[in-house]
Every structure is written in C-alpha cells, then in structure tokens.
Amino acid sequence: QKGAASVGENQESIRLLHTIRNMLIGIGLMVSALGLLAFGYLFAEGTNLFTALFLVSALLFPAAAYFHGIVACAFVVLLLLVSCACWYVFAPRANVADVAVTAFGPLYTSLAFATLILIRKVDPGMTGALVTFGVMFSVWVNDAFAYFVGSALGAHKLAPRISPNKSVEGFLGGLVGSVLVWVLLAAFVLTDLSLPVAALFGAVVGVVGVVGD
C-alpha cells in the first residue's frame, strides 16, 4: 500500500510539473506576442504590416527554441524571410519599408526572447536556470544603474538623436551594475565560472542591452 501511495504521489508530482511547464510555455508565448505587438504599434502609422505573419512568427520562435533548439530557430528565420519576399513580390501594396518592418520585428523581439529559452535548455538543471536568471537580472540592474547614475551625474549625451535622455555616465554606470551581477553570481553561486569571464559576460550583456534599446 505504501508503495502504491508513493507511486501515486510521484505521478501527481509529474502531472503538476507538466502543468507548470505548460503554463510557463503559454506565458512565454503570450509575452513574445505582446512584445511583437508593441513593436508593431510603434510602426503602425504609415506602415502596412503583414499582421498574420507578424503574429505567427511571435509564436513560432519561442516554440521552435523550446522543442527543437537553435536549428529550428534558424529554419523559422528562413521561413520568415522567404514569406516576406513572396509577400513583396505578389502583394502590390507592399513596399520595401513594409517588408523590412515585418521581417525585423519578429527577429528583434521574438527571436531575441527565444534566445533565453535556448540558454535555459543548454543546462536543464539549476545552473542553466541561474545563467538565464543572470542574463535577465543583469539587464534590469543595468537599466536601474544607468538611470540613477545618469540622473545624478549625466552630462555627456550618448546618442542624442536616438535617445536624448541617455548619457555616457549612465551607460558606464549601467555597465558597472551588469558586471557586478555576474561577478556576484560567479563568486557565490556559479563557482565554476571564473571572475574575469563573469565580468566579460556582464560587460557584453550591458552593451548589448543598450544597443537593443
């Protein structure tokens, strides 16, 4: 009886884990779609987007990353570009700007989001989870440090035409915050990661985050 009860408890635990996994997949797909819709909203005026392809790509990239990895993501990129090319050839209303935004939107939002899934799948254990968390948390800390340092000390504009509120001082402060997150992870959690490599990761994440903005 105890053995049967233990088997039943294990099955319930497995069902719960599968339910949580499915919920997380659904949330991920929703986040990807919302991010892409926000991107499309920025270019809604004066641009004729292929909305169906836009939304399908938002769902395909995270799903491809989760179920089949980077090769499937590359295939979705190819499919997206070929679909945009066919749309441009056969739709008389489509122009180069429409195709460019329709193709770039999913790559900039959904594919970028899918890379977090790819990072997580490299190691299904706690290490992979912590590395994924480190990427996200270092971006958040980078933004926070950049804001506070830039507000207090910002005097030199970083990119006045693109983002007039960003300053060189804020950018450097953000880099310090991002590097600090990775150094702390390497020192106390990811002990197999050397401090110089961790600092390099932090710097790369910080710079790429700013470029993405």
Side-chain angles (χ1 to χ4, degrees), residues 28 31-40 42-43 54-55 57-59 61-62 80 101-116 212:
V31 169
S32 178
L34 289 175
L36 189 54
L37 286 174
F39 180 90
L42 294 175
F43 294 91
F54 220 54
L55 294 179
S57 300
L59 301 178
F61 276 118
L80 171 64
V101 174
T102 300
F104 181 69
L107 297 177
Y108 180 67
T109 58
S110 302
L111 179 59
F113 177 74
T115 58
L116 287 175

PDB file of all heavy atoms in Angstrom, residues 28 31-40 42-43 54-55 57-59 61-62 80 101-116 212:
ATOM      1  N   GLY A  28       5.148  32.355 -21.890  1.00  0.00           N
ATOM      2  CA  GLY A  28       6.224  32.768 -22.783  1.00  0.00           C
ATOM      3  C   GLY A  28       5.717  33.167 -24.150  1.00  0.00           C
ATOM      4  O   GLY A  28       6.140  34.185 -24.715  1.00  0.00           O
ATOM      5  N   VAL A  31       4.020  36.556 -23.817  1.00  0.00           N
ATOM      6  CA  VAL A  31       4.993  37.649 -23.706  1.00  0.00           C
ATOM      7  C   VAL A  31       5.602  37.959 -25.067  1.00  0.00           C
ATOM      8  O   VAL A  31       5.774  39.121 -25.449  1.00  0.00           O
ATOM      9  CB  VAL A  31       6.088  37.283 -22.682  1.00  0.00           C
ATOM     10  CG1 VAL A  31       7.249  38.274 -22.751  1.00  0.00           C
ATOM     11  CG2 VAL A  31       5.520  37.248 -21.281  1.00  0.00           C
ATOM     12  N   SER A  32       5.937  36.915 -25.816  1.00  0.00           N
ATOM     13  CA  SER A  32       6.511  37.103 -27.144  1.00  0.00           C
ATOM     14  C   SER A  32       5.536  37.847 -28.054  1.00  0.00           C
ATOM     15  O   SER A  32       5.924  38.786 -28.770  1.00  0.00           O
ATOM     16  CB  SER A  32       6.873  35.749 -27.747  1.00  0.00           C
ATOM     17  OG  SER A  32       7.394  35.899 -29.050  1.00  0.00           O
ATOM     18  N   ALA A  33       4.261  37.443 -28.025  1.00  0.00           N
ATOM     19  CA  ALA A  33       3.259  38.085 -28.874  1.00  0.00           C
ATOM     20  C   ALA A  33       3.044  39.540 -28.461  1.00  0.00           C
ATOM     21  O   ALA A  33       2.950  40.435 -29.313  1.00  0.00           O
ATOM     22  CB  ALA A  33       1.946  37.309 -28.808  1.00  0.00           C
ATOM     23  N   LEU A  34       2.986  39.798 -27.158  1.00  0.00           N
ATOM     24  CA  LEU A  34       2.774  41.172 -26.683  1.00  0.00           C
ATOM     25  C   LEU A  34       3.957  42.065 -27.051  1.00  0.00           C
ATOM     26  O   LEU A  34       3.782  43.229 -27.425  1.00  0.00           O
ATOM     27  CB  LEU A  34       2.565  41.172 -25.168  1.00  0.00           C
ATOM     28  CG  LEU A  34       1.229  40.595 -24.678  1.00  0.00           C
ATOM     29  CD1 LEU A  34       1.206  40.536 -23.147  1.00  0.00           C
ATOM     30  CD2 LEU A  34       0.062  41.425 -25.195  1.00  0.00           C
ATOM     31  N   GLY A  35       5.175  41.528 -26.924  1.00  0.00           N
ATOM     32  CA  GLY A  35       6.346  42.307 -27.303  1.00  0.00           C
ATOM     33  C   GLY A  35       6.333  42.669 -28.778  1.00  0.00           C
ATOM     34  O   GLY A  35       6.655  43.803 -29.160  1.00  0.00           O
ATOM     35  N   LEU A  36       5.942  41.721 -29.594  1.00  0.00           N
ATOM     36  CA  LEU A  36       5.891  41.978 -31.034  1.00  0.00           C
ATOM     37  C   LEU A  36       4.777  42.960 -31.377  1.00  0.00           C
ATOM     38  O   LEU A  36       4.939  43.819 -32.252  1.00  0.00           O
ATOM     39  CB  LEU A  36       5.696  40.665 -31.786  1.00  0.00           C
ATOM     40  CG  LEU A  36       5.845  40.725 -33.310  1.00  0.00           C
ATOM     41  CD1 LEU A  36       7.180  41.344 -33.691  1.00  0.00           C
ATOM     42  CD2 LEU A  36       5.728  39.339 -33.915  1.00  0.00           C
ATOM     43  N   LEU A  37       3.633  42.857 -30.684  1.00  0.00           N
ATOM     44  CA  LEU A  37       2.544  43.801 -30.927  1.00  0.00           C
ATOM     45  C   LEU A  37       2.959  45.215 -30.535  1.00  0.00           C
ATOM     46  O   LEU A  37       2.609  46.192 -31.217  1.00  0.00           O
ATOM     47  CB  LEU A  37       1.297  43.373 -30.148  1.00  0.00           C
ATOM     48  CG  LEU A  37       0.544  42.163 -30.704  1.00  0.00           C
ATOM     49  CD1 LEU A  37      -0.575  41.756 -29.753  1.00  0.00           C
ATOM     50  CD2 LEU A  37      -0.016  42.461 -32.091  1.00  0.00           C
ATOM     51  N   ALA A  38       3.706  45.341 -29.438  1.00  0.00           N
ATOM     52  CA  ALA A  38       4.198  46.661 -29.033  1.00  0.00           C
ATOM     53  C   ALA A  38       5.140  47.231 -30.079  1.00  0.00           C
ATOM     54  O   ALA A  38       5.095  48.423 -30.399  1.00  0.00           O
ATOM     55  CB  ALA A  38       4.901  46.558 -27.680  1.00  0.00           C
ATOM     56  N   PHE A  39       5.997  46.372 -30.626  1.00  0.00           N
ATOM     57  CA  PHE A  39       6.890  46.807 -31.706  1.00  0.00           C
ATOM     58  C   PHE A  39       6.081  47.256 -32.916  1.00  0.00           C
ATOM     59  O   PHE A  39       6.376  48.288 -33.527  1.00  0.00           O
ATOM     60  CB  PHE A  39       7.834  45.667 -32.084  1.00  0.00           C
ATOM     61  CG  PHE A  39       8.791  46.011 -33.193  1.00  0.00           C
ATOM     62  CD1 PHE A  39      10.022  46.550 -32.901  1.00  0.00           C
ATOM     63  CD2 PHE A  39       8.461  45.784 -34.522  1.00  0.00           C
ATOM     64  CE1 PHE A  39      10.925  46.865 -33.918  1.00  0.00           C
ATOM     65  CE2 PHE A  39       9.342  46.091 -35.541  1.00  0.00           C
ATOM     66  CZ  PHE A  39      10.572  46.634 -35.230  1.00  0.00           C
ATOM     67  N   GLY A  40       5.075  46.457 -33.287  1.00  0.00           N
ATOM     68  CA  GLY A  40       4.246  46.819 -34.430  1.00  0.00           C
ATOM     69  C   GLY A  40       3.495  48.118 -34.215  1.00  0.00           C
ATOM     70  O   GLY A  40       3.298  48.887 -35.166  1.00  0.00           O
ATOM     71  N   LEU A  42       4.557  50.708 -32.709  1.00  0.00           N
ATOM     72  CA  LEU A  42       5.470  51.834 -32.951  1.00  0.00           C
ATOM     73  C   LEU A  42       5.521  52.216 -34.422  1.00  0.00           C
ATOM     74  O   LEU A  42       5.763  53.377 -34.768  1.00  0.00           O
ATOM     75  CB  LEU A  42       6.878  51.478 -32.465  1.00  0.00           C
ATOM     76  CG  LEU A  42       7.058  51.269 -30.964  1.00  0.00           C
ATOM     77  CD1 LEU A  42       8.474  50.813 -30.656  1.00  0.00           C
ATOM     78  CD2 LEU A  42       6.746  52.550 -30.194  1.00  0.00           C
ATOM     79  N   PHE A  43       5.294  51.229 -35.289  1.00  0.00           N
ATOM     80  CA  PHE A  43       5.408  51.472 -36.726  1.00  0.00           C
ATOM     81  C   PHE A  43       4.056  51.374 -37.427  1.00  0.00           C
ATOM     82  O   PHE A  43       3.993  51.265 -38.652  1.00  0.00           O
ATOM     83  CB  PHE A  43       6.370  50.457 -37.359  1.00  0.00           C
ATOM     84  CG  PHE A  43       7.794  50.598 -36.898  1.00  0.00           C
ATOM     85  CD1 PHE A  43       8.253  49.887 -35.808  1.00  0.00           C
ATOM     86  CD2 PHE A  43       8.663  51.454 -37.542  1.00  0.00           C
ATOM     87  CE1 PHE A  43       9.564  50.014 -35.374  1.00  0.00           C
ATOM     88  CE2 PHE A  43       9.968  51.590 -37.124  1.00  0.00           C
ATOM     89  CZ  PHE A  43      10.426  50.865 -36.031  1.00  0.00           C
ATOM     90  N   PHE A  54       3.356  38.380 -38.850  1.00  0.00           N
ATOM     91  CA  PHE A  54       3.908  39.007 -37.652  1.00  0.00           C
ATOM     92  C   PHE A  54       3.606  38.153 -36.426  1.00  0.00           C
ATOM     93  O   PHE A  54       4.508  37.811 -35.646  1.00  0.00           O
ATOM     94  CB  PHE A  54       3.264  40.393 -37.507  1.00  0.00           C
ATOM     95  CG  PHE A  54       4.199  41.476 -37.058  1.00  0.00           C
ATOM     96  CD1 PHE A  54       5.378  41.721 -37.727  1.00  0.00           C
ATOM     97  CD2 PHE A  54       3.871  42.266 -35.974  1.00  0.00           C
ATOM     98  CE1 PHE A  54       6.225  42.733 -37.328  1.00  0.00           C
ATOM     99  CE2 PHE A  54       4.703  43.294 -35.565  1.00  0.00           C
ATOM    100  CZ  PHE A  54       5.890  43.522 -36.245  1.00  0.00           C
ATOM    101  N   LEU A  55       2.340  37.814 -36.235  1.00  0.00           N
ATOM    102  CA  LEU A  55       1.913  37.091 -35.043  1.00  0.00           C
ATOM    103  C   LEU A  55       2.339  35.625 -35.076  1.00  0.00           C
ATOM    104  O   LEU A  55       2.713  35.068 -34.039  1.00  0.00           O
ATOM    105  CB  LEU A  55       0.397  37.201 -34.890  1.00  0.00           C
ATOM    106  CG  LEU A  55      -0.121  38.613 -34.610  1.00  0.00           C
ATOM    107  CD1 LEU A  55      -1.639  38.615 -34.510  1.00  0.00           C
ATOM    108  CD2 LEU A  55       0.483  39.164 -33.315  1.00  0.00           C
ATOM    109  N   SER A  57       4.991  34.428 -36.409  1.00  0.00           N
ATOM    110  CA  SER A  57       6.423  34.409 -36.075  1.00  0.00           C
ATOM    111  C   SER A  57       6.632  34.558 -34.578  1.00  0.00           C
ATOM    112  O   SER A  57       7.532  33.935 -34.002  1.00  0.00           O
ATOM    113  CB  SER A  57       7.150  35.524 -36.812  1.00  0.00           C
ATOM    114  OG  SER A  57       7.025  35.387 -38.209  1.00  0.00           O
ATOM    115  N   ALA A  58       5.803  35.381 -33.940  1.00  0.00           N
ATOM    116  CA  ALA A  58       5.915  35.574 -32.493  1.00  0.00           C
ATOM    117  C   ALA A  58       5.712  34.271 -31.742  1.00  0.00           C
ATOM    118  O   ALA A  58       6.317  34.048 -30.683  1.00  0.00           O
ATOM    119  CB  ALA A  58       4.893  36.609 -32.025  1.00  0.00           C
ATOM    120  N   LEU A  59       4.873  33.390 -32.279  1.00  0.00           N
ATOM    121  CA  LEU A  59       4.622  32.109 -31.631  1.00  0.00           C
ATOM    122  C   LEU A  59       5.639  31.043 -32.050  1.00  0.00           C
ATOM    123  O   LEU A  59       6.014  30.185 -31.246  1.00  0.00           O
ATOM    124  CB  LEU A  59       3.212  31.623 -31.975  1.00  0.00           C
ATOM    125  CG  LEU A  59       2.071  32.558 -31.576  1.00  0.00           C
ATOM    126  CD1 LEU A  59       0.736  31.970 -32.012  1.00  0.00           C
ATOM    127  CD2 LEU A  59       2.071  32.819 -30.078  1.00  0.00           C
ATOM    128  N   PHE A  61       8.926  31.303 -32.996  1.00  0.00           N
ATOM    129  CA  PHE A  61      10.308  31.382 -32.496  1.00  0.00           C
ATOM    130  C   PHE A  61      10.462  30.761 -31.107  1.00  0.00           C
ATOM    131  O   PHE A  61      11.331  29.899 -30.908  1.00  0.00           O
ATOM    132  CB  PHE A  61      10.804  32.830 -32.514  1.00  0.00           C
ATOM    133  CG  PHE A  61      11.335  33.272 -33.842  1.00  0.00           C
ATOM    134  CD1 PHE A  61      10.745  34.314 -34.528  1.00  0.00           C
ATOM    135  CD2 PHE A  61      12.427  32.636 -34.413  1.00  0.00           C
ATOM    136  CE1 PHE A  61      11.233  34.715 -35.766  1.00  0.00           C
ATOM    137  CE2 PHE A  61      12.929  33.029 -35.649  1.00  0.00           C
ATOM    138  CZ  PHE A  61      12.325  34.080 -36.320  1.00  0.00           C
ATOM    139  N   PRO A  62       9.656  31.157 -30.111  1.00  0.00           N
ATOM    140  CA  PRO A  62       9.815  30.509 -28.794  1.00  0.00           C
ATOM    141  C   PRO A  62       9.504  29.016 -28.835  1.00  0.00           C
ATOM    142  O   PRO A  62      10.187  28.222 -28.174  1.00  0.00           O
ATOM    143  CB  PRO A  62       8.812  31.263 -27.908  1.00  0.00           C
ATOM    144  CG  PRO A  62       8.538  32.533 -28.611  1.00  0.00           C
ATOM    145  CD  PRO A  62       8.661  32.228 -30.068  1.00  0.00           C
ATOM    146  N   LEU A  80      10.539  32.952 -42.384  1.00  0.00           N
ATOM    147  CA  LEU A  80      10.071  34.337 -42.274  1.00  0.00           C
ATOM    148  C   LEU A  80      10.558  35.174 -43.450  1.00  0.00           C
ATOM    149  O   LEU A  80       9.780  35.920 -44.066  1.00  0.00           O
ATOM    150  CB  LEU A  80      10.562  34.939 -40.949  1.00  0.00           C
ATOM    151  CG  LEU A  80      10.347  36.436 -40.751  1.00  0.00           C
ATOM    152  CD1 LEU A  80       8.862  36.777 -40.702  1.00  0.00           C
ATOM    153  CD2 LEU A  80      11.044  36.906 -39.473  1.00  0.00           C
ATOM    154  N   VAL A 101      10.033  46.129 -41.900  1.00  0.00           N
ATOM    155  CA  VAL A 101       9.478  46.141 -40.547  1.00  0.00           C
ATOM    156  C   VAL A 101       8.872  44.786 -40.201  1.00  0.00           C
ATOM    157  O   VAL A 101       9.030  44.284 -39.085  1.00  0.00           O
ATOM    158  CB  VAL A 101       8.430  47.260 -40.405  1.00  0.00           C
ATOM    159  CG1 VAL A 101       7.749  47.190 -39.044  1.00  0.00           C
ATOM    160  CG2 VAL A 101       9.075  48.626 -40.595  1.00  0.00           C
ATOM    161  N   THR A 102       8.166  44.174 -41.153  1.00  0.00           N
ATOM    162  CA  THR A 102       7.555  42.871 -40.910  1.00  0.00           C
ATOM    163  C   THR A 102       8.610  41.812 -40.618  1.00  0.00           C
ATOM    164  O   THR A 102       8.405  40.926 -39.780  1.00  0.00           O
ATOM    165  CB  THR A 102       6.709  42.442 -42.121  1.00  0.00           C
ATOM    166  OG1 THR A 102       5.684  43.416 -42.347  1.00  0.00           O
ATOM    167  CG2 THR A 102       6.055  41.093 -41.878  1.00  0.00           C
ATOM    168  N   ALA A 103       9.752  41.867 -41.308  1.00  0.00           N
ATOM    169  CA  ALA A 103      10.817  40.885 -41.081  1.00  0.00           C
ATOM    170  C   ALA A 103      11.610  41.195 -39.815  1.00  0.00           C
ATOM    171  O   ALA A 103      11.945  40.293 -39.037  1.00  0.00           O
ATOM    172  CB  ALA A 103      11.750  40.846 -42.290  1.00  0.00           C
ATOM    173  N   PHE A 104      11.895  42.489 -39.590  1.00  0.00           N
ATOM    174  CA  PHE A 104      12.762  42.847 -38.467  1.00  0.00           C
ATOM    175  C   PHE A 104      12.054  42.718 -37.127  1.00  0.00           C
ATOM    176  O   PHE A 104      12.682  42.364 -36.123  1.00  0.00           O
ATOM    177  CB  PHE A 104      13.269  44.283 -38.647  1.00  0.00           C
ATOM    178  CG  PHE A 104      14.198  44.724 -37.553  1.00  0.00           C
ATOM    179  CD1 PHE A 104      15.463  44.172 -37.433  1.00  0.00           C
ATOM    180  CD2 PHE A 104      13.803  45.681 -36.631  1.00  0.00           C
ATOM    181  CE1 PHE A 104      16.319  44.576 -36.420  1.00  0.00           C
ATOM    182  CE2 PHE A 104      14.653  46.088 -35.622  1.00  0.00           C
ATOM    183  CZ  PHE A 104      15.916  45.538 -35.519  1.00  0.00           C
ATOM    184  N   GLY A 105      10.753  42.990 -37.102  1.00  0.00           N
ATOM    185  CA  GLY A 105      10.015  42.937 -35.844  1.00  0.00           C
ATOM    186  C   GLY A 105      10.135  41.604 -35.135  1.00  0.00           C
ATOM    187  O   GLY A 105      10.540  41.546 -33.962  1.00  0.00           O
ATOM    188  N   PRO A 106       9.801  40.485 -35.785  1.00  0.00           N
ATOM    189  CA  PRO A 106       9.945  39.190 -35.121  1.00  0.00           C
ATOM    190  C   PRO A 106      11.389  38.850 -34.751  1.00  0.00           C
ATOM    191  O   PRO A 106      11.640  38.222 -33.722  1.00  0.00           O
ATOM    192  CB  PRO A 106       9.398  38.200 -36.163  1.00  0.00           C
ATOM    193  CG  PRO A 106       8.476  39.008 -37.004  1.00  0.00           C
ATOM    194  CD  PRO A 106       9.104  40.364 -37.082  1.00  0.00           C
ATOM    195  N   LEU A 107      12.347  39.260 -35.591  1.00  0.00           N
ATOM    196  CA  LEU A 107      13.746  38.976 -35.276  1.00  0.00           C
ATOM    197  C   LEU A 107      14.190  39.750 -34.042  1.00  0.00           C
ATOM    198  O   LEU A 107      14.925  39.226 -33.188  1.00  0.00           O
ATOM    199  CB  LEU A 107      14.640  39.338 -36.470  1.00  0.00           C
ATOM    200  CG  LEU A 107      14.401  38.550 -37.756  1.00  0.00           C
ATOM    201  CD1 LEU A 107      15.315  39.072 -38.861  1.00  0.00           C
ATOM    202  CD2 LEU A 107      14.628  37.065 -37.533  1.00  0.00           C
ATOM    203  N   TYR A 108      13.740  40.992 -33.937  1.00  0.00           N
ATOM    204  CA  TYR A 108      14.171  41.867 -32.840  1.00  0.00           C
ATOM    205  C   TYR A 108      13.497  41.496 -31.522  1.00  0.00           C
ATOM    206  O   TYR A 108      14.105  41.649 -30.453  1.00  0.00           O
ATOM    207  CB  TYR A 108      13.853  43.316 -33.208  1.00  0.00           C
ATOM    208  CG  TYR A 108      14.256  44.325 -32.170  1.00  0.00           C
ATOM    209  CD1 TYR A 108      15.600  44.561 -31.889  1.00  0.00           C
ATOM    210  CD2 TYR A 108      13.302  45.052 -31.465  1.00  0.00           C
ATOM    211  CE1 TYR A 108      15.975  45.491 -30.938  1.00  0.00           C
ATOM    212  CE2 TYR A 108      13.667  45.983 -30.519  1.00  0.00           C
ATOM    213  CZ  TYR A 108      15.000  46.202 -30.253  1.00  0.00           C
ATOM    214  OH  TYR A 108      15.361  47.117 -29.303  1.00  0.00           O
ATOM    215  N   THR A 109      12.267  41.006 -31.570  1.00  0.00           N
ATOM    216  CA  THR A 109      11.523  40.720 -30.338  1.00  0.00           C
ATOM    217  C   THR A 109      11.433  39.222 -30.058  1.00  0.00           C
ATOM    218  O   THR A 109      11.970  38.738 -29.066  1.00  0.00           O
ATOM    219  CB  THR A 109      10.115  41.333 -30.411  1.00  0.00           C
ATOM    220  OG1 THR A 109       9.430  40.805 -31.568  1.00  0.00           O
ATOM    221  CG2 THR A 109      10.186  42.836 -30.537  1.00  0.00           C
ATOM    222  N   SER A 110      10.785  38.488 -30.929  1.00  0.00           N
ATOM    223  CA  SER A 110      10.513  37.077 -30.660  1.00  0.00           C
ATOM    224  C   SER A 110      11.773  36.216 -30.689  1.00  0.00           C
ATOM    225  O   SER A 110      11.955  35.343 -29.836  1.00  0.00           O
ATOM    226  CB  SER A 110       9.498  36.540 -31.670  1.00  0.00           C
ATOM    227  OG  SER A 110       8.314  37.293 -31.618  1.00  0.00           O
ATOM    228  N   LEU A 111      12.635  36.425 -31.675  1.00  0.00           N
ATOM    229  CA  LEU A 111      13.870  35.643 -31.724  1.00  0.00           C
ATOM    230  C   LEU A 111      14.770  35.980 -30.545  1.00  0.00           C
ATOM    231  O   LEU A 111      15.393  35.092 -29.949  1.00  0.00           O
ATOM    232  CB  LEU A 111      14.603  35.884 -33.045  1.00  0.00           C
ATOM    233  CG  LEU A 111      15.931  35.129 -33.213  1.00  0.00           C
ATOM    234  CD1 LEU A 111      15.717  33.624 -33.101  1.00  0.00           C
ATOM    235  CD2 LEU A 111      16.588  35.477 -34.540  1.00  0.00           C
ATOM    236  N   ALA A 112      14.824  37.258 -30.188  1.00  0.00           N
ATOM    237  CA  ALA A 112      15.625  37.646 -29.027  1.00  0.00           C
ATOM    238  C   ALA A 112      15.090  36.993 -27.754  1.00  0.00           C
ATOM    239  O   ALA A 112      15.857  36.531 -26.901  1.00  0.00           O
ATOM    240  CB  ALA A 112      15.625  39.169 -28.883  1.00  0.00           C
ATOM    241  N   PHE A 113      13.761  36.949 -27.631  1.00  0.00           N
ATOM    242  CA  PHE A 113      13.160  36.279 -26.476  1.00  0.00           C
ATOM    243  C   PHE A 113      13.468  34.781 -26.505  1.00  0.00           C
ATOM    244  O   PHE A 113      13.723  34.163 -25.459  1.00  0.00           O
ATOM    245  CB  PHE A 113      11.652  36.513 -26.474  1.00  0.00           C
ATOM    246  CG  PHE A 113      10.918  35.804 -25.372  1.00  0.00           C
ATOM    247  CD1 PHE A 113      10.995  36.248 -24.071  1.00  0.00           C
ATOM    248  CD2 PHE A 113      10.150  34.681 -25.652  1.00  0.00           C
ATOM    249  CE1 PHE A 113      10.330  35.588 -23.056  1.00  0.00           C
ATOM    250  CE2 PHE A 113       9.478  34.018 -24.647  1.00  0.00           C
ATOM    251  CZ  PHE A 113       9.564  34.474 -23.343  1.00  0.00           C
ATOM    252  N   ALA A 114      13.454  34.191 -27.693  1.00  0.00           N
ATOM    253  CA  ALA A 114      13.721  32.752 -27.811  1.00  0.00           C
ATOM    254  C   ALA A 114      15.139  32.395 -27.388  1.00  0.00           C
ATOM    255  O   ALA A 114      15.393  31.253 -26.968  1.00  0.00           O
ATOM    256  CB  ALA A 114      13.474  32.295 -29.248  1.00  0.00           C
ATOM    257  N   THR A 115      16.072  33.339 -27.487  1.00  0.00           N
ATOM    258  CA  THR A 115      17.441  33.028 -27.068  1.00  0.00           C
ATOM    259  C   THR A 115      17.519  32.734 -25.573  1.00  0.00           C
ATOM    260  O   THR A 115      18.384  31.964 -25.134  1.00  0.00           O
ATOM    261  CB  THR A 115      18.395  34.192 -27.409  1.00  0.00           C
ATOM    262  OG1 THR A 115      17.941  35.399 -26.778  1.00  0.00           O
ATOM    263  CG2 THR A 115      18.474  34.404 -28.906  1.00  0.00           C
ATOM    264  N   LEU A 116      16.627  33.329 -24.776  1.00  0.00           N
ATOM    265  CA  LEU A 116      16.590  32.986 -23.354  1.00  0.00           C
ATOM    266  C   LEU A 116      16.218  31.516 -23.169  1.00  0.00           C
ATOM    267  O   LEU A 116      16.748  30.831 -22.289  1.00  0.00           O
ATOM    268  CB  LEU A 116      15.584  33.874 -22.621  1.00  0.00           C
ATOM    269  CG  LEU A 116      15.985  35.329 -22.402  1.00  0.00           C
ATOM    270  CD1 LEU A 116      14.829  36.100 -21.784  1.00  0.00           C
ATOM    271  CD2 LEU A 116      17.219  35.412 -21.508  1.00  0.00           C
ATOM    272  N   GLY A 212      20.303  47.311 -27.888  1.00  0.00           N
ATOM    273  CA  GLY A 212      18.922  46.919 -28.122  1.00  0.00           C
ATOM    274  C   GLY A 212      17.938  48.043 -27.868  1.00  0.00           C
ATOM    275  O   GLY A 212      16.986  48.232 -28.607  1.00  0.00           O
TER     276      GLY A 212
END
